[in-house]
Amino acid sequence: MCVWPWFGEQAGSRVEAEVAAHPRIECVVARYSEDVSWTAALCCPVVVYDKSGTPGPYALPNVGRESHTYLHHIVARYPDFADYTAFVQGDPFRHLPPDMDAAGLWRRMQQNARLCAPFAGLAWFKLKCDRLGRPHDMADPARAGSWAGFGKDIPVGELYAALFAGPVPETFLTPAPAGLFMVSRERILARPLGFYRKALALAAADPGDADNTGHAFERLWNVIFNGRADLNRPDAAD
């Protein structure tokens, strides 16, 4: 059984040292119908958002892929986040390093927190693309009919322009593909609530991912959480 150290309202140097040694971590899971019993191996609070249609306190409509789920959590929780939040899909393991199980994922999350990593991708691979998400496999015959946006490019540059100030980069490095990453509270709060409300509205406006908006968010999580306040648009205030 996992026991996570919560310290409540206690004060003093000993408690402060313990809190520093064990940063508070929370895991947010975007689930459709996956078996999420593996989350029992995570020694931290876990919030599972369910898009299967089953009623419950964390039920959400099945729209906008995991991007909608993550952004919903941020808007609903803002500004009360854990020191570090891990965002993962209901079945993350096919995208994690080989042979990594739930216990290994928890160790990775602990390591990121111990190293005070403000943002870290959890998948085994990284991506690099242009403003249209190229190269990509959106037209892979093996994936035909998988979603409404099959065969289309990914509007990475368009989504960037809608969310951020300044010129749109020509290329994008994606260290957190597959919607698997961990981010610090400070990096989340580097963007105002209005930013996340706008992002959530953009994800919800493409419910079936017909325009591949969800895929574009996947390419931009590291930009969203890079801490650069100069990218905040004046029209995205709280």
Side-chain angles (χ1 to χ4, degrees):
M1 178 179 177
C2 294
V3 179
W4 184 249
W6 296 94
F7 297 102
E9 300 300 323
Q10 298 179 64
S13 58
R14 181 188 63 81
V15 172
E16 291 171 359
E18 289 182 87
V19 171
H22 302 281
R24 188 163 61 103
I25 302 171
E26 184 172 46
C27 184
V28 172
V29 180
R31 177 182 184 268
Y32 176 62
S33 59
E34 302 89 348
D35 179 0
V36 294
S37 60
W38 59 268
T39 60
L42 305 181
C43 299
C44 68
V46 178
V47 180
V48 178
Y49 289 97
D50 193 319
K51 290 188 170 182
S52 68
T54 302
Y58 295 104
L60 291 176
N62 186 26
V63 300
R65 299 175 65 88
E66 74 275 355
S67 304
H68 173 272
T69 305
Y70 300 167
L71 292 165
H72 169 86
H73 175 83
I74 292 172
V75 169
R77 185 68 66 86
Y78 201 98
D80 299 320
F81 303 104
D83 294 341
Y84 296 92
T85 303
F87 292 90
V88 299
Q89 297 187 32
D91 179 14
F93 299 103
R94 60 195 178 100
H95 300 298
L96 295 178
D99 300 322
M100 178 178 281
D101 58 8
L105 175 59
W106 171 240
R107 289 193 294 270
R108 174 76 176 276
M109 291 163 59
Q110 287 181 296
Q111 180 185 49
N112 288 338
R114 284 196 301 269
L115 295 174
C116 299
F119 180 86
L122 299 173
W124 66 267
F125 60 101
K126 298 179 181 179
L127 299 174
K128 186 176 182 180
C129 68
D130 65 10
R131 295 176 180 178
L132 295 176
R134 299 175 180 175
H136 58 64
D137 61 354
M138 296 293 114
D140 182 352
R143 307 180 70 187
S146 298
W147 75 100
F150 175 80
K152 298 181 181 179
D153 285 320
I154 305 172
V156 182
E158 181 180 342
L159 184 62
Y160 183 101
L163 290 174
F164 300 104
V168 180
E170 293 287 344
T171 60
F172 297 85
L173 178 64
T174 303
L180 305 172
F181 58 90
M182 187 167 170
V183 62
S184 70
R185 180 177 185 270
E186 289 73 18
R187 285 293 180 88
I188 299 176
L189 297 181
R191 306 273 177 238
L193 177 58
F195 171 90
Y196 295 110
R197 285 175 171 161
K198 182 174 184 179
L200 178 59
L202 290 171
D206 188 14
D209 208 32
D211 295 322
N212 288 326
T213 304
H215 286 87
F217 271 108
E218 180 183 333
R219 304 306 200 268
L220 292 175
W221 290 122
N222 60 304
V223 181
I224 289 172
F225 299 119
N226 68 9
R228 287 185 52 186
D230 62 302
L231 295 180
N232 291 338
R233 296 170 61 99
D235 59 356
D238 293 351

